[in-house]
Amino acid sequence: MKAMILDAPGGLDRIRLADIDDARAPAANEIRVRMKAGCINYHDYGVASGRAPTEDGRILLADGAGIVEQVGSEVTDFLPGDAVLTCIFPQWRSGPPQVSDFSQTPGDGVDGVACETFTGPVGLFTPIPRGYSMAEAATITTAGVTAWRALLVNGPLQAGETVLVQGSGGVSLYALQIAKALGARVIATSSSSHKLARLRALGADHVINYRDEPEWGRLAHEWTGGKGVDHVIDVGGPTTLPQSIEAVKIGGHIAMIGLLGGLEAKIPMIPVFAKQIRFQGCLNGSWQDQADLVEFLATHEIRPVLDRSFRLEELAEAFRYEESGQHFGKIVIDI
Ligand SMILES: NC(=O)c1ccc[n+]([C@@H]2O[C@H](COP(=O)([O-])OP(=O)(O)OC[C@H]3O[C@@H](n4cnc5c(N)ncnc54)[C@H](OP(=O)(O)O)[C@@H]3O)[C@@H](O)[C@H]2O)c1
């Protein structure tokens, strides 16, 4: 089969198309899936670029959707012909956090889904939402589940609350759509006026250009009538935390999601104590979180925002496009 693999030590010019033997039949608790679509995320980019070293010859990509071809003798959850979607942590079924690494995550600790057929443990898959295309489904695993866990499980978000989402990336767009579907008010930030208009069209109640308005946290706080926002989806880390702290209400929740601004943060401690802020680190979610989100997306008729699609062989180009920051929504891979 065709697969996109990474030669050690990584780097986008070391991604190449390979012909790999895929004759292995699924073990008792495994299923074999004909992959149809994948989706790229920062984590995959970290692996592909060599910043998060992996094994020589690793097949890339964590998020993918496809059709079950064959099931192992003990599998009862799926049948050949079912549409399925990978999850990030097959070892985390449900409940509180149980993992802190990517040792069993496709495209990192184990081979990923940038290939024609993928065989893995049944616990690595959920169904896809009814009515979703394969490309739409493939966007759920990393971006969707992280937004869901941050808002619904860790939040937990209540109708009428205010959520601040940063930038127009995959996690923030899912958080915006989920929050609006649950009756929350959403403040969205972006570096581009064109993207702000699109965020408005998706339902954002208030938008702020974080490039033109470096004090966007104070502006968000003012927009809430001086109360502050209930939940912040923080994707910038060092570059956004001081303003996230400005924006949040007394006793509010800052979901620590991303590191777009770097790995080490300097934060003002006095407002952290004074506001009694709850910081909650979030690392994707459990199998159950993904299954709950799949159900939620189907019943609330939320459609993910797709940006561009690339062919499997164009995976390195897809990463370069992600690097350019032009995208609005998810970049998908047609397999
Ligand atoms: N913890 C987890 O489980 C988890 C899961 C998924 C992602 N993440 C992390 O979350 C972050 C976002 O991921 P994503 O997939 O949503 O990214 P993405 O789709 O690539 O989007 C990132 C967007 O964030 C905005 N942005 C870029 N640099 C920024 C900065 N320094 N400060 C504020 N905003 C900035 C830009 O929006 P505009 O162009 O609109 O300005 C950019 O398009 C990444 O660091 C990723 O590694 C973490």
Side-chain angles (χ1 to χ4, degrees), residues 249-280:
K249 72 170 188 182
I250 295 170
H253 162 224
I254 299 182
M256 308 284 285
I257 306 287
L259 298 163
L260 290 169
L263 297 183
E264 285 183 23
K266 190 172 164 201
I267 57 172
M269 291 306 293
I270 289 174
V272 171
F273 292 118
K275 287 186 169 181
Q276 303 177 63
I277 297 168
R278 188 162 51 91
F279 292 89
Q280 174 71 58

Side-chain angles (χ1 to χ4, degrees), residues 272-305:
V272 171
F273 292 118
K275 287 186 169 181
Q276 303 177 63
I277 297 168
R278 188 162 51 91
F279 292 89
Q280 174 71 58
C282 184
L283 193 64
N284 195 251
S286 65
W287 179 94
Q288 188 62 54
D289 293 329
Q290 183 162 308
D292 291 344
L293 174 59
V294 162
E295 193 53 36
F296 179 88
L297 292 172
T299 49
H300 288 79
E301 292 178 9
I302 293 174
R303 309 307 294 219
V305 182

Side-chain angles (χ1 to χ4, degrees), residues 25-49:
N29 72 336
E30 288 185 331
I31 64 175
R32 178 183 157 101
V33 178
R34 166 94 17 206
M35 299 310 303
K36 297 289 183 189
C39 173
I40 65 171
N41 288 282
Y42 261 89
H43 181 80
D44 305 297
Y45 175 75
V47 174
S49 62

Side-chain angles (χ1 to χ4, degrees), residues 131-256:
Y132 264 40
S133 69
M134 289 289 164
E136 287 175 321
T139 68
I140 293 172
T141 304
T142 295
V145 174
T146 302
W148 176 262
R149 177 102 193 162
L151 285 179
L152 270 290
V153 182
N154 297 336
L157 176 66
Q158 308 293 324
E161 288 188 328
T162 305
V163 177
L164 185 145
V165 301
Q166 299 170 354
S168 54
V171 178
S172 296
L173 292 187
Y174 263 110
L176 163 68
Q177 291 178 294
I178 292 168
K180 288 308 297 176
L182 286 169
R185 295 192 310 165
V186 175
I187 302 171
T189 69
S190 173
S191 56
S192 131
S193 53
H194 167 69
K195 290 182 177 180
L196 288 171
R198 295 191 66 184
L199 289 162
R200 271 253 192 232
L202 274 176
D205 299 277
H206 185 60
V207 294
I208 307 173
N209 187 318
Y210 65 79
R211 218 163 253 166
D212 296 347
E213 304 285 359
E215 297 277 311
W216 51 266
R218 182 177 53 75
L219 297 178
H221 193 274
E222 280 172 18
W223 186 79
T224 63
K227 178 186 168 213
V229 308
D230 297 275
H231 308 275
V232 179
I233 299 294
D234 191 285
V235 295
T239 48
T240 47
L241 272 171
Q243 288 303 307
S244 295
I245 290 167
E246 275 290 323
V248 79
K249 72 170 188 182
I250 295 170
H253 162 224
I254 299 182
M256 308 284 285

